[in-house]
């Protein structure tokens, strides 16, 4: 298994589409500077990992 960042616009769109289709909370886009990673075996995508700033959810 390999975990790597997505590469290029086509992989970003594929990642976004898959999360939107399969995540139970749906997907409203990564806000701010975020990272998209994919876990794969060979060329088969097994899992998606997304990171985004948490500060947008904090209350003063």
């Amino acid at each position: 298994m390999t975990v790597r960042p997505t590469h290029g616009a086509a992989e970003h769109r594929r990642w976004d589409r898959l999360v939107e289709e399969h995540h139970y909370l749906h997907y409203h886009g990564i806000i701010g500077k975020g990272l998209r990673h994919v876990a794969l075996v060979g060329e088969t995508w097994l899992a998606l990992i997304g990171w985004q700033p948490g500060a947008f959810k904090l209350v003063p």
Side-chain angles (χ1 to χ4, degrees):
M1 179 182 293
T2 304
V3 177
R4 65 162 176 80
T6 56
H7 299 296
E11 283 195 357
H12 283 249
R13 286 190 301 270
R14 179 181 178 190
W15 190 98
D16 289 346
R17 182 180 47 80
L18 288 169
V19 172
E20 185 175 350
E21 288 177 14
H22 297 287
H23 197 282
Y24 73 102
L25 293 176
H26 306 290
Y27 177 64
H28 304 288
I30 290 181
I31 299 170
K33 293 184 178 181
L35 301 172
R36 294 171 181 88
H37 284 78
V38 58
L40 23 72
V41 170
E43 296 298 315
T44 303
W45 287 25
L46 298 177
L48 305 173
I49 307 159
W51 308 90
Q52 70 180 7
F56 297 109
K57 299 292 183 181
L58 298 177
V59 179

